[in-house]
């Protein structure tokens, strides 16, 4: 009768060292292949799980309520515990709770909607892109936002009230949060109603500069609005006189790392806040030894062979009817498919 399978006989020749080594290698290889396949499976978003190597891009940043100029905390981490990601430029797209349609149009045009395409864009340009939004006491709006964050994972959530009258505070919170999260050469503030060419913006930011403190944008001057009935009314006009100082248009501008580092180091309550965000930033820049770099390619009314951003100046603060206009512009080859650098034949 055959022996019971639970017994092992000493007569069976023991495995050689080479056999054991081969078996161990094959077992290890099989385990590695399994884990790799599992990681790919989970990172694809199935059942909402991700691998550790696929960290969520969206993050909640707390506003520093003490008044001091520390970086705040990201997801509850302290300053020392927050890993800063190295990029050439960080682009924070300012958005609000009423801008769902704008974000939808952006994700159909120059900003990819899926994570892998966004990652490819970021790797190709050296830029990182996130939507920047505050909070609201409206639970239904927060619930809708939570679903959008879970679907697209391309937000930075600021612990500051999202309100038009508080845009200067949101802007300061954005720069401090961006500096805490990203080790970047430039920090770009962009609105969600402009058409942007990330490839051309990348080349502009990569340009050699002799001045380490740079304030980059479409520079302007203009009259100070003293009529309370006007949209851009300035209550502190008595401090400004009749004309604004040189400053960049609000829809798109960039600050170099040294400039943002100076903002981060100051107490929150030590800043003068004007009614308009672009004027507020411009006033802070006057107090710093910055180089005002004017580049009109950042504010073109139509797409050209060299335009970096398109929006309707001065008719609208960004694009007029941006949800539709963004899609229309993207259908034009001169906007979406023209070469990064203009050819020698272009004027």
């Amino acid at each position: 009768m055959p022996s019971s399978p639970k017994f092992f006989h000493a007569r069976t020749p023991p495995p050689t060292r080479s056999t054991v080594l081969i078996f161990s290698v094959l077992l290890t290889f099989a385990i590695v292949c399994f884990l790799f396949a599992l990681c790919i499976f989970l990172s694809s978003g199935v059942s909402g799980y991700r691998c550790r190597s696929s960290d969520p891009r969206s993050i909640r940043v707390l506003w520093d309520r003490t008044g001091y100029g520390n970086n705040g905390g990201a997801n509850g981490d302290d300053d020392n515990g927050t890993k800063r990601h190295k990029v050439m430029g960080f682009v924070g797209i300012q958005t609000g709770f009423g801008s769902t349609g704008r974000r939808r149009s952006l994700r159909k045009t120059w900003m990819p909607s899926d994570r892998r395409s966004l990652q490819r864009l970021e790797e190709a340009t050296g830029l990182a892109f996130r939507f920047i939004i505050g909070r609201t006491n409206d639970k239904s709006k927060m619930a809708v936002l939570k679903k959008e964050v879970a679907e697209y994972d391309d937000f930075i959530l600021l612990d500051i009230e999202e309100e038009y009258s508080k845009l200067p505070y949101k802007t300061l919170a954005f720069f401090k949060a961006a500096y805490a999260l990203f080790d970047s050469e430039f920090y770009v503030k962009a609105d969600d109603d402009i058409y942007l060419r990330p490839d051309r913006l990348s080349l502009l930011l990569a340009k050699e500069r002799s001045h380490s403190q740079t304030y980059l944008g479409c520079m302007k001057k203009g009259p100070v609005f003293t009529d309370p009935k006007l949209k851009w009314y300035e209550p502190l006009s008595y401090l400004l006189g009749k004309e604004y100082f040189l400053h960049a248009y609000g829809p798109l501008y960039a600050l170099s790392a040294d400039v943002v580092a100076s903002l981060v180091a100051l107490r929150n309550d030590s800043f003068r806040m004007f009614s308009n965000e672009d004027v507020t930033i411009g006033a802070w820049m006057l107090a710093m030894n910055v180089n005002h770099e004017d580049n009109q390619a950042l504010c073109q009314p139509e797409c050209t062979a060299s335009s970096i951003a398109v929006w309707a100046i001065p008719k609208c603060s960004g694009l007029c009817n941006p949800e539709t206009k963004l899609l229309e512009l993207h259908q034009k080859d001169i906007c979406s498919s023209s070469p990064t650098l203009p050819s020698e034949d272009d004027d």
Side-chain angles (χ1 to χ4, degrees):
M1 294 180 61
S3 302
S4 173
K6 64 181 179 179
F7 294 107
F8 295 89
H9 299 279
R11 294 180 180 178
T12 303
T16 63
R17 290 185 179 181
S18 59
T19 303
V20 173
L21 180 60
I22 294 173
F23 178 78
S24 300
V25 170
L26 292 176
L27 179 61
T28 302
F29 179 75
I31 293 174
V32 170
C33 290
F34 172 78
L35 293 177
F36 180 74
L38 180 62
C39 184
I40 293 177
F41 175 74
L42 294 180
S43 63
S44 64
V46 178
S47 302
Y49 292 100
R50 294 183 177 90
C51 298
R52 288 185 177 182
S53 61
S54 182
D55 296 328
R57 291 171 177 263
S58 295
I59 193 166
R60 179 171 175 262
V61 179
L62 303 180
W63 173 250
D64 174 28
R65 301 182 185 279
T66 65
Y68 291 92
N70 56 35
N71 296 339
N75 277 351
D77 292 341
D78 59 21
D79 296 344
N80 296 327
T82 303
K83 179 182 178 181
R84 299 179 73 210
H85 300 277
K86 179 65 177 177
V87 293
M88 183 182 68
F90 175 76
V91 182
I93 307 167
Q94 312 297 307
T95 190
F97 289 94
S99 296
T100 303
R102 294 183 183 184
R103 295 192 293 274
R104 184 185 306 115
S105 293
L106 281 176
R107 294 190 182 106
K108 292 179 180 179
T109 56
W110 60 265
M111 183 172 177
S113 60
D114 65 283
R115 179 169 180 145
R116 291 184 179 179
S117 296
L118 180 57
Q119 184 175 354
R120 285 195 296 268
L121 174 65
E122 293 180 342
E123 291 174 349
T125 60
L127 308 178
F129 302 88
R130 301 291 184 277
F131 287 108
I132 311 297
I133 194 169
R135 56 171 168 76
T136 177
N137 292 327
D138 189 322
K139 294 183 179 180
S140 62
K141 291 182 178 179
M142 289 300 295
V144 172
L145 175 63
K146 184 178 180 180
K147 292 180 180 179
E148 187 177 351
V149 171
E151 180 177 359
Y152 295 105
D153 194 19
D154 53 7
F155 282 87
I156 288 180
L157 312 179
L158 301 177
D159 184 29
I160 191 168
E161 187 175 1
E162 183 67 46
E163 187 176 324
Y164 183 81
S165 62
K166 295 184 178 181
L167 282 182
Y169 296 91
K170 178 185 177 182
T171 303
L172 177 59
F174 153 64
F175 280 119
K176 291 197 170 191
Y179 188 84
L181 296 170
F182 291 88
D183 179 7
S184 179
E185 296 179 25
F186 275 92
Y187 298 85
V188 182
K189 181 262 180 184
D191 286 350
D192 61 4
D193 55 357
I194 66 172
Y195 188 88
L196 184 66
R197 281 290 298 260
D199 54 340
R200 293 176 183 168
L201 177 62
S202 175
L203 288 183
L204 175 62
L205 298 183
K207 174 184 171 183
E208 289 286 342
R209 292 175 174 84
S210 59
H211 205 296
S212 64
Q213 298 189 85
T214 299
Y215 175 33
L216 171 62
C218 288
M219 299 297 165
K220 64 168 181 172
K221 287 185 176 180
V224 177
F225 294 98
T226 58
D227 187 349
K229 297 180 181 179
L230 298 177
K231 179 180 179 181
W232 290 286
Y233 165 63
E234 180 52 69
L236 297 177
S237 58
Y238 64 93
L239 295 174
L240 300 170
K242 295 183 179 180
E243 185 180 61
Y244 283 121
F245 39 81
L246 187 69
H247 64 284
Y249 278 103
L252 181 64
Y253 58 85
L255 303 179
S256 64
D258 283 359
V259 177
V260 177
S262 297
L263 297 181
V264 169
L266 296 176
R267 292 167 56 102
N268 291 337
D269 58 1
S270 67
F271 290 94
R272 170 79 69 181
M273 297 288 186
F274 292 98
S275 178
N276 298 299
E277 165 259 333
D278 56 351
V279 173
T280 300
I281 293 292
W284 298 347
M285 296 303 101
L286 286 180
M288 299 182 183
N289 183 29
V290 304
N291 179 46
H292 288 62
E293 184 177 325
D294 180 32
N295 193 310
Q296 295 299 307
L298 294 168
C299 55
Q300 291 295 300
E302 296 291 341
C303 295
T304 68
S306 59
S307 59
I308 298 174
V310 175
W311 36 289
I313 297 176
K315 186 177 180 181
C316 300
S317 58
L319 288 171
C320 301
N321 191 16
E323 296 179 24
T324 301
K325 190 63 175 179
L326 283 165
L327 300 176
E328 291 177 355
L329 290 174
H330 199 62
Q331 293 299 315
K332 299 180 179 180
D333 289 341
I334 187 65
C335 294
S336 60
S337 303
S338 57
T340 300
L341 293 174
S343 66
E344 295 180 357
D345 296 332
D346 293 325
D347 294 334

